[in-house]
Amino acid sequence: MTIRHLLSLARRVRRSPDHGYITAASNRFSSSLATAESDHQLPSPPPPTAMIYDALTESVKSKLKQLENPDPRFLKYASPHPVTTSHTHILSAPATRVTTLPNGLRVATESNLSVKTATVGVWIDAGSRFETEESNGTAHFLEHMIFKGTDRRTVRQLEEEIENMGGHLNAYTSREQTTYYARVMGKDVNKALDILADILQNSKFDDERISRERDVILREMQEVEGQTEEVIFDHLHATAFQYTPLGRTILGPAQNIKTISKQDLQNYIRTHYTAPRMVIAASGAVKHEELVEEVKKLFSNLSTDATTASQLVAKEPAFFTGSEVGWVCENVTSVVCDLVASVRMIDDDIPLAQFAVAFSGASWTDPDSIALMVMQAMLGSWSKSAGGGKHMGSELAQRVGINEIAESVMSFNTNYKDTGLFGVYAVAKPDCVEDLAWAIMYEMTKLVYRVSEADVIRARNQLKSSLLLHIDGTSPIAEDIGRQLLTYGRRIPFAELFARIDAVDASTDVAIAAMGPIQGLPDYNWFRRRTYWTRY
C-alpha cells in the first residue's frame, strides 16, 4: 500500500505545473515517509563489539586490566614477569625434610607411607679417627657396650622389647662415623626411637659386662685377623697415613682393649656424642612432624658442645705418605722397618698372594671425588667365579680375564673428611703377581693419558645405576640421609648428583700393602716408575 501511494503522488507532481503544488506534495511525501518509517524501523548501526576484531580488542583490554591488578592465587606457580625459580623441590622428590632443633640436633626424614616398615637411626660424626693413641678402640668397644643395659632396661628387657616388635636393632663403627639404627614396623617407630634414646643417654656400663665384652672383642680381633682382605686394608691405611689418626685400626690394639674402663667410655660419649654432631634419620612409614616432636622429648640430655668433627680434623689432619706396608713377616714374626718401609707379610702357607695399590684420593667435598667415582667404575671389578671377564666393559677386567693372571680384582674409592684412598685390591697366584701388577698400573696410568668417550659414558651409566640400586629399601635410604648430612651438611638430590656425574670428561703418589707368597711382587720404586708414561 505504501509503495502505491508513493507512485500516485509522483504522477500527480509530474502532471501539475503549479510550483506551490509541488512544494505541498513534497511536504506530504516527507510526512508519508516519516509515517512509513514509524511503521517499519530500519536497523541501527552495529555496536563496537559486534565485529570479530572489535571483540578481540575488547578481550585483550580486559586481560591487560587483570594483569595490572592480578589475583595472587594464580601467581603462585606462574607470573607474567621473568623470575628465577628453584626446581629443587621437584627434582629432589621424594623430598628429604630436615629440622634442626635448638640444641643443634638434626632430624631428617624421607616419608613413604605406601610401605609398612620404617628404619630410624642415629648417625654420629665420631669414630676411631677421633681417638688418641692410648684410647684407640674405645669407639668400637662402646658400640658393643651400648646394648648391655640402661637405667630403665636390663639386657633381657632390651632384647625382648625389640623381638616382641619383630624389629632389628644394630650398630656399626667406621673411622669417621658411628651408627645405631632399628628396623621396625611403621606403628613401632616411636618405641624404637625411645630405645635408641635410652641406650645413648642412660647406658650403665657395668664393670662385669665390660670385662665380659673384652673377651668378645678379643675373639673378634682374632676372627678379623683371619680375614685377609680386612688385614690388607688395615695395613694399607697404616702405611698410607703413617703417624696420623687414620692410620689406626677401628678395633684398636689388644693392649688397649684390655685396659678400657667405664670412665673411658663415659668420657668418649661426653666428648663426641654431642647434639650438633648427631643426625636422627628415618625413612619409610614415618611422619616428619611426629618424629620431630618425639625427638624433642626423648633426646633432651645430650651435650650441646659446639665443637665439630671438622674442627677436630683440622687440629690433627691426615697426610698421605707414599710407601710400602711397614714390616716383613715370616712365620708370624714382624719387624718394623724405617720410614719408607717394606712390610711384606710373606707367608708361603697361604696359597694366594693378595695386595692393594692405592693413590691419594679425594675428600667427601673435593670436586674431584665425582671424577674418582667414575674412574672406579671404569676400572671395575672382576672375579674368576663370576661370568663375563673377557667381554666386560672394563679394560682391566678384559686384560685380567684373557691372560688369566688373577683370581679377583676390585677397584676401591674411599673418602674421608680431608683425604681419601683410590686404588685396586687383587688376589692372584704367586707366579702371576708381577704380570698382574703391571696390568693394574698400566690401566690406572692410562686413565690419565688415553680415555675413550665410550668408556666414560659406560662408566657414568654404571655408576648412576649402582647408586640407584644401592638405595633399594628403607635402611639404605636412612643410611644415605644420615651419611650425607654428616659429610655434606645436606642430602644431594639425585638429579644434581647425576648432573655432576655427566659433567665428568676424562691427577700422584702411591701406597702398597701386600701379604702371602709375594716374593714376585715388584718393589715400591717399580710401582712409582709406572705412574707416568714417557712419550717420544
Side-chain angles (χ1 to χ4, degrees):
M1 280 304 276
T2 306
I3 295 174
R4 274 190 208 143
H5 182 61
L6 292 174
L7 290 174
S8 63
L9 287 175
R11 283 197 288 273
R12 289 177 190 170
V13 168
R14 279 193 220 102
R15 282 196 299 264
S16 175
D18 187 11
H19 181 71
Y21 178 76
I22 292 175
T23 303
S26 62
N27 289 338
R28 287 197 299 271
F29 178 69
S30 299
S31 63
S32 63
L33 281 176
T35 305
E37 287 178 2
S38 63
D39 294 340
H40 301 279
Q41 287 286 340
L42 294 176
S44 60
T49 58
M51 302 301 290
I52 182 65
Y53 298 109
D54 294 334
L56 290 174
T57 302
E58 293 297 324
S59 175
V60 171
K61 287 180 179 178
S62 64
K63 290 178 180 179
L64 289 174
K65 288 181 179 179
Q66 290 180 358
L67 290 177
E68 291 174 1
N69 194 9
D71 189 332
R73 293 177 300 170
F74 300 106
L75 296 184
K76 185 176 181 181
Y77 301 107
S79 172
H81 309 292
V83 293
T84 302
T85 305
S86 172
H87 297 95
T88 304
H89 63 288
I90 299 173
L91 299 176
S92 62
T96 301
R97 300 181 61 185
V98 182
T99 298
T100 303
L101 302 183
N103 62 357
L105 182 63
R106 287 167 288 179
V107 183
T109 63
E110 182 180 300
S111 298
N112 183 1
L113 300 181
S114 64
V115 300
K116 302 299 182 184
T117 61
T119 297
V120 59
V122 184
W123 274 257
I124 309 170
D125 214 352
S128 62
R129 177 176 190 165
F130 304 102
E131 301 166 340
T132 63
E133 195 74 37
E134 296 74 23
S135 65
N136 184 207
T138 304
H140 178 258
F141 203 114
L142 180 58
E143 174 204 321
H144 281 250
M145 288 301 304
I146 210 80
F147 301 114
K148 302 307 176 183
T150 69
D151 295 335
R152 293 170 47 200
R153 296 175 173 92
T154 63
V155 179
R156 181 182 181 87
Q157 289 172 335
L158 184 62
E159 293 175 354
E160 286 182 348
E161 192 169 349
I162 287 292
E163 290 180 359
N164 290 339
M165 290 190 291
H168 176 75
L169 185 64
N170 206 349
Y172 61 85
T173 304
S174 66
R175 282 180 165 81
E176 289 190 338
Q177 294 178 10
T178 304
T179 300
Y180 305 93
Y181 68 96
R183 295 201 302 259
V184 295
M185 300 295 289
K187 61 184 177 62
D188 297 322
V189 168
N190 290 345
K191 295 180 183 178
L193 199 62
D194 179 60
I195 292 175
L196 290 171
D198 192 24
I199 62 177
L200 287 172
Q201 297 175 110
N202 306 311
S203 288
K204 294 179 66 173
F205 304 129
D206 291 335
D207 291 333
E208 182 183 349
R209 290 282 179 184
I210 292 176
S211 179
R212 190 181 306 173
E213 207 61 28
R214 279 200 187 98
D215 297 332
V216 174
I217 296 175
L218 290 173
R219 285 197 301 271
E220 182 182 345
M221 291 179 67
Q222 293 176 352
E223 293 175 3
V224 170
E225 288 172 1
Q227 301 172 10
T228 52
E229 184 177 340
E230 294 287 339
V231 174
I232 286 288
F233 278 95
D234 279 344
H235 287 321
L236 184 64
H237 280 78
T239 188
F241 303 114
Q242 297 176 29
Y243 311 109
T244 68
L246 279 181
R248 305 184 191 119
T249 64
I250 297 173
L251 271 65
Q255 185 58 37
N256 284 9
I257 301 302
K258 295 175 182 178
T259 58
I260 289 176
S261 64
K262 175 180 180 179
Q263 188 66 35
D264 296 325
L265 299 176
Q266 291 175 336
N267 288 340
Y268 190 88
I269 288 180
R270 190 163 45 251
T271 305
H272 300 291
Y273 283 25
T274 62
R277 292 171 62 180
M278 298 172 71
V279 172
I280 311 294
S283 68
V286 294
K287 294 181 179 180
H288 184 77
E289 293 80 4
E290 294 179 2
L291 193 73
V292 170
E293 292 302 318
E294 284 296 315
V295 170
K296 286 180 181 179
K297 291 187 294 185
L298 297 173
F299 290 84
S300 58
N301 297 326
L302 295 174
S303 170
T304 57
D305 185 357
T307 305
T308 64
S310 298
Q311 292 172 336
L312 296 177
V313 168
K315 290 180 180 179
E316 201 171 2
F319 298 100
F320 183 89
T321 303
S323 59
E324 282 186 293
V325 167
W327 58 82
V328 179
C329 301
E330 288 191 42
N331 300 326
V332 196
T333 302
S334 63
V335 179
V336 179
C337 303
D338 29 306
L339 257 184
V340 180
S342 173
V343 176
R344 300 197 164 219
M345 300 177 64
I346 301 174
D347 188 349
D348 292 330
D349 293 332
I350 300 177
L352 297 174
Q354 306 180 47
F355 67 95
V357 181
F359 295 81
S360 177
S363 67
W364 286 108
T365 56
D366 193 313
D368 291 334
S369 62
I370 302 297
L372 286 175
M373 291 168 67
V374 176
M375 290 172 65
Q376 179 192 4
M378 292 180 68
L379 291 172
S381 60
W382 178 85
S383 175
K384 207 171 192 177
S385 60
K390 300 177 182 180
H391 308 291
M392 295 180 70
S394 165
E395 294 190 14
L396 175 60
Q398 291 179 21
R399 189 180 295 274
V400 170
I402 291 171
N403 297 299
E404 299 181 354
I405 54 177
E407 301 299 306
S408 65
V409 174
M410 178 190 72
S411 61
F412 59 87
N413 177 38
T414 307
N415 304 103
Y416 296 108
K417 286 186 177 296
D418 57 343
T419 186
L421 284 177
F422 174 82
V424 174
Y425 166 77
V427 181
K429 294 178 180 177
D431 57 345
C432 298
V433 169
E434 186 172 2
D435 292 335
L436 178 58
W438 185 90
I440 290 172
M441 294 307 299
Y442 178 83
E443 293 298 334
M444 292 181 74
T445 308
K446 191 176 73 172
L447 294 175
V448 180
Y449 293 95
R450 189 176 69 225
V451 179
S452 69
E453 188 65 24
D455 287 340
V456 176
I457 293 173
R458 184 187 302 111
R460 286 182 199 151
N461 293 338
Q462 290 176 348
L463 176 58
K464 290 187 283 189
S465 175
S466 65
L467 289 172
L468 286 177
L469 291 171
H470 174 69
I471 60 164
D472 184 18
T474 60
S475 294
I477 292 175
E479 193 274 336
D480 189 56
I481 295 171
R483 177 181 54 80
Q484 289 203 35
L485 283 176
L486 291 181
T487 54
Y488 303 124
R490 66 188 181 99
R491 191 181 185 200
I492 301 177
F494 275 101
E496 177 185 342
L497 183 58
F498 286 5
R500 291 174 182 264
I501 292 172
D502 290 334
V504 174
D505 298 312
S507 307
T508 309
D509 219 309
V510 57
I512 309 163
M515 69 179 296
I518 55 170
Q519 291 89 340
L521 183 69
D523 65 5
Y524 171 66
N525 290 322
W526 183 94
F527 281 94
R528 281 185 62 96
R529 288 195 298 272
R530 278 150 186 83
T531 60
Y532 60 89
W533 287 356
T534 302
R535 293 183 167 186
Y536 301 96

